[in-house]
Structures are given as structure tokens and as C-alpha cells.
Amino acid sequence: MDATTSPSPDTRIARFSRAERWVHRSITVLMIVLIATAAALYFPDISVLVGNRPIVSNIHVIAGFLLPIPLILALASRAFRQDAGLLNRFTAQDWTWLRSRDRRSGRIPVGKFNAGQKLNAAFSMGSIIIMLATGSIMFFNAWFPDDIRTGATFVHDWLTLAIVVVVVGHTYKALMDADARTGMRTGHVSARWAAREHSQWAEEQRLGG
Amino acid sequence: MEPTLPSNRDDALAAPPSTATTSLADPPKAGAGPDSASPSGSPVGRRIVLGMIGLGAVGVLVGRQAQEAITSTVSATVPGLGSIVPAAGGFRIYTVTGGYPAMDRADYRLDVTGNVTTPLSLTMADLADLPQTSMTKDFQCVTGWRVDDVLWSGVLLSDVLAAAGASTTSSALRFFSFDGAYTESLTMEQALRDDVLVATSMFGEPVTREHGGPVRLYVAPMYGYKSLKWMSGIEVVDEVVPGYWEVRGYDIDAWVGASNGRDDEPIA
């Protein structure tokens, strides 16, 4: 590598725009509220401890209807749209990365997002749409026949289980990686981290200036 | 780092012509590398989202049958799992007040008042001295969930009314909860049925606090909201006074499968 173009390990690289970090923070707060109120509504033991069911259920419904709003507002941001485009597209490399055992070794070059992050984004998007739809059926229940209401409850309940598993996984991964958290908090990551975790992206950043 | 660079370049060169065309038509923006400027790869994310929406829609359509299948499988194989796994046949606990009222069994009284010859204030021991009745019947909630084969025990409401010398020419009853808010109603004809119980036990155990203990009503043929929890008073009156849920739009005569716009299977 040429010494003049090789980035110093301490160079900061811009990773997430202000809009993107704001979206992530809003979704985080709303998801915590949704999961906590869901637990208080669903588990008898917690229901008994918390009580105030009408209030808890109202908070859950309001947080649910607010959930898509940050995403819709963020569509005005070019950085958000570009990253959404990157998350949408799976390359041949992504499939190789998913299949390989040593996907964390850096052998397979990774772009701005790895395939796991892409899967998480797609699952989150699909989940938000389904939870919003089934939640709306449960909320405006007078407009729907019995079977549909029961079916919506069924999907809402079971998808909750899957979402909690994925959210726990996402949080665990974040807890294991302080640099990744810094990236989402400040918008910048170290060049060293970028080269290790997202080598292809780091290279693009270096070439693109 | 170094070994990855050549392969990186190879990938770029080996990219399909369509990608190259797109790159030319849509020049890379400043600050973005060649790969991030033009979408490369297939839109798998969108396919996953659309696939999930499709699965979700199917789930909504067949959810009722799926839920029933899961409920019967789970309750047959792993009793107790129902309270953890969604839609596996557990009770959902509702309360109309801020909390879950607690009552010491020693302090408990069930007052029977109104058009009666002998007003009563029954202790748990008094209730235990009355003729005991048990029945195994489902509990159906108006919101859709149902718990199969619950063992209920206690005193038939008709036996309590007989003990108080209730006027059977009176046409209705009011029920009060010691939570201070929950009330219910039945006609005298409904109250004298042999599947309406002043329940002191569920599943062979004393009725728990969250299930409405120490004493709750169980009106088998009607939706769950008629089965008043934390029962502390029965009043024999001349006409039906709509209860807590009924003033909030639910049917007064809440027959399972024939009220509230629902078609659930009646409780046999």
C-alpha cells in the first residue's frame, strides 16, 4: 500500500448521517416501549404487577402507530435512501458470506453492510408492516369479522416472539462491538474498524476520498 | 487486507454488463465508491419484505384454525406452556381498575341482599358449608380466546339464592366486585340455571387473585365478562341494571355464539 493513501488507523470515517441516527434512536425508544407494554399486556404475572391495563394498552397502541413515522420522514434524506438501497441489494458476496464459517475473519470483503445486517433490516421492515397491519385489525376490530380478528391476533402474537429473538440478537451484537455503537452514536467510525468489519466499504471510502 | 484487494477488483471486472450500463447512465456521486453508487446485486431485501407480508396475510386468514391446532397440541403435550407460548390456550388476565384487588380469605364476605327473606354475609367457611358443585367447562372470552376444560368448583348460584330466601318473582340480580368498579347483571331465569356457579376453586385450587379470587362468578354459557371477578355482593332486584362492560357496548345477554356479533361454539 502507498503510504500517502493508506489511512491512519485513527482516521474517522462518516458512516451514518444525522437523519439516520435520529431514525435509529426513535425506533429504539418506540421498540422498548412496545416490548415493555406488550409484556405487561401479555404475561399474567407482569399484568398483575403493573395493572392499569387500559393505560398500558393505550401506550402500546400509540407507540405502534408512531413506529413507521420516523422511517417515512427519513425518506426525505438522501443518505437514508442510499443506505436503504444498499441494504436491499444482495450480492453474490453476501451469499458466500452467509454460507461461510469464517465470515468474521475478513477473508470475504464486506461492503457498507454485511449480509446479516441486510437480513435484519429486511426482517425489521417486514415485521413493522405486518405488526402495524395486524395491530390495526385488532384496534379497529369492529370493522373485521371474527376469524380475521383471531387470525390477526395469532400473527401478532407469534411474530412478537420472532421479533424479540431478533432484537435480542441485534442488541447482543451491538454490546459486543463498541466501535459499531460509536458509529451509530456519533455517525463516525475508525478507519481501523471499517477495514476490519467492512473492508470493501473502507476501500471505497479511501478511493472516493 | 492485501489479499482481499485483488479479488475485489476481479469482482468489479466480472460484474454483469447490466451493472456496467447502469454505472454509465448513473455516474457515481462524489464520496461514494463505484459499487455503492449503482445498485448491484438483486433486491433480496424487498423480496423478504414481500414474502413476509404474504406469509402474514396467510397467517391472518388461517390463524384461527392454526391457533386451535396449536392450542390442542400444546395443552395435550406440555401443560403449563400455555401461559408462555402465544395462542397456546392460556387465560389472559384483565382488570378494570388500576390494580388487582387483594382480599384475605379470612376477611372475605359475600353479601346477599335486596329482595331476600334472610340477608346473608357469607364467609369462606359458610360457602364451604353450602352444597358443593363441580363442573368442567370451557371459558370463552369475547375477544376470541378460549380455555378448554376448566374444572370449576363452588356453590351453584341458585343454592346461594335459596339459602337467602331470594324472591324468585324478582326479575334480576346485580353483582358487585370488591375492586369497587366491576359490576355485572343476570336475569333471575339465567341465574337459576344449573351452570351458573359462585366459584371458589379453579383447576382444583382456590381461585387465585388474578383470576378473581377468593370468590368469582362463573356463568358458563356466556362470554367471560359476565363471570364477574372478586365478587363481594349479590343484590336481588326488580330489573336488570347493565354492568360495567355492558354500559361500554357489550351485550347484556352474552350467550356464547349468539351475541356480540360472534359465532363461537356454545359452551356445552
Side-chain angles (χ1 to χ4, degrees):
Chain A
M1 277 197 186
D2 188 329
T4 53
T5 54
S6 176
S8 151
D10 295 327
T11 307
R12 311 297 291 172
I13 304 178
R15 183 159 171 83
F16 294 116
S17 72
R18 182 189 295 265
E20 289 175 309
R21 284 176 283 141
W22 185 83
V23 168
H24 189 263
R25 226 163 272 169
S26 319
I27 299 275
T28 304
V29 170
L30 289 170
M31 284 300 289
I32 290 170
V33 170
L34 283 164
I35 291 174
T37 49
L41 292 171
Y42 194 81
F43 294 106
D45 292 346
I46 304 177
S47 296
V48 171
L49 279 178
V50 176
N52 300 298
R53 191 177 182 90
I55 296 171
V56 175
S57 124
N58 276 337
I59 296 173
H60 187 80
V61 167
I62 290 166
F65 283 126
L66 288 178
L67 191 60
I69 289 176
L71 292 166
I72 292 168
L73 293 180
L75 286 176
S77 148
R78 171 182 286 182
F80 178 84
R81 291 198 307 271
Q82 275 179 349
D83 279 353
L86 291 177
L87 286 165
N88 179 30
R89 296 274 166 177
F90 274 55
T91 61
Q93 254 166 229
D94 286 323
W95 297 115
T96 314
W97 187 89
L98 279 176
R99 268 188 237 107
S100 70
R101 281 161 190 272
D102 64 337
R103 63 178 80 97
R104 297 286 170 188
S105 72
R107 179 180 63 84
I108 303 156
V110 172
K112 182 163 186 181
F113 300 108
N114 67 41
Q117 292 165 328
K118 293 178 183 182
L119 286 178
N120 180 58
F123 176 82
S124 304
M125 211 46 233
S127 297
I128 289 173
I129 292 169
I130 295 172
M131 294 305 268
L132 195 66
T134 53
S136 300
I137 293 173
M138 291 156 78
F139 186 70
F140 300 107
N141 55 61
W143 302 350
F144 297 93
D146 262 20
D147 281 7
I148 297 297
R149 279 151 59 179
T150 310
T153 311
F154 172 81
V155 171
H156 206 83
D157 286 359
W158 279 98
L159 187 52
T160 299
L161 207 64
I163 289 170
V164 166
V165 169
V166 171
V167 166
V168 167
H170 179 71
T171 310
Y172 172 78
K173 282 287 176 199
L175 285 177
M176 293 294 108
D177 191 338
D179 293 298
R181 292 203 306 280
T182 304
M184 193 43 93
R185 197 173 62 248
T186 66
H188 290 75
V189 292
S190 70
R192 183 190 290 133
W193 179 86
R196 191 179 72 232
E197 299 289 336
H198 299 273
S199 57
Q200 188 177 317
W201 176 66
E203 184 67 7
E204 289 160 15
Q205 296 303 300
R206 194 174 66 81
L207 294 175
Chain B
M1 183 84 203
E2 272 77 1
T4 65
L5 286 176
S7 70
N8 202 0
R9 289 289 168 275
D10 289 348
D11 281 356
L13 292 172
S18 63
T19 311
T21 313
T22 317
S23 296
L24 290 173
D26 185 11
K29 295 169 184 75
D35 279 350
S36 56
S38 64
S40 62
S42 42
V44 172
R46 186 191 307 156
R47 285 173 204 155
I48 291 173
V49 171
L50 292 176
M52 283 178 71
I53 292 172
L55 272 178
V58 170
V60 169
L61 292 176
V62 305
R64 183 175 188 167
Q65 288 80 357
Q67 177 175 325
E68 280 161 10
I70 291 168
T71 300
S72 56
T73 311
V74 170
S75 59
T77 50
V78 197
L81 197 60
S83 57
I84 301 164
V85 172
F91 276 91
R92 298 182 188 197
I93 304 296
Y94 304 139
T95 173
V96 300
T97 58
Y100 292 77
M103 172 73 77
D104 195 343
R105 295 173 63 81
D107 298 335
Y108 179 80
R109 297 290 184 279
L110 175 60
D111 296 327
V112 188
T113 58
N115 304 331
V116 295
T117 55
T118 321
L120 298 175
S121 187
L122 301 166
T123 63
M124 294 306 292
D126 295 336
L127 282 168
D129 286 341
L130 289 168
Q132 300 294 301
T133 303
S134 291
M135 56 186 82
T136 299
K137 287 182 186 295
D138 301 352
F139 186 89
Q140 171 77 50
C141 180
V142 73
T143 61
W145 54 270
R146 183 179 185 121
V147 181
D148 292 337
D149 302 327
V150 180
L151 172 60
W152 305 88
S153 307
V155 184
L156 281 181
L157 179 57
S158 58
D159 288 336
V160 174
L161 294 172
S167 151
T168 48
T169 56
S170 294
S171 58
L173 292 121
R174 295 190 74 190
F175 302 92
F176 300 92
S177 166
F178 57 78
D179 72 357
Y182 194 2
T183 56
E184 261 308 331
S185 71
L186 286 176
T187 67
M188 183 60 77
E189 187 188 356
Q190 292 161 0
L192 295 177
R193 288 174 61 109
D194 63 3
D195 53 1
V196 177
L197 196 67
V198 174
T200 53
S201 142
M202 281 171 74
F203 301 110
E205 305 282 339
V207 179
T208 61
R209 177 180 166 197
E210 59 264 35
H211 282 305
V215 177
R216 72 175 296 171
L217 196 60
Y218 173 58
V219 184
M222 295 196 179
Y223 285 108
Y225 63 88
K226 298 295 286 191
S227 294
L228 179 118
K229 295 162 83 169
W230 309 291
M231 184 159 69
S232 60
I234 302 173
E235 187 183 5
V236 182
V237 293
D238 292 324
E239 55 189 47
V240 168
V241 179
Y244 181 90
W245 291 110
E246 291 132 46
V247 299
R248 284 160 179 79
Y250 290 91
D251 289 350
I252 295 172
D253 295 319
W255 305 108
V256 172
S259 67
N260 294 296
R262 297 186 58 90
D263 63 352
D264 306 286
E265 191 187 332
I267 309 284

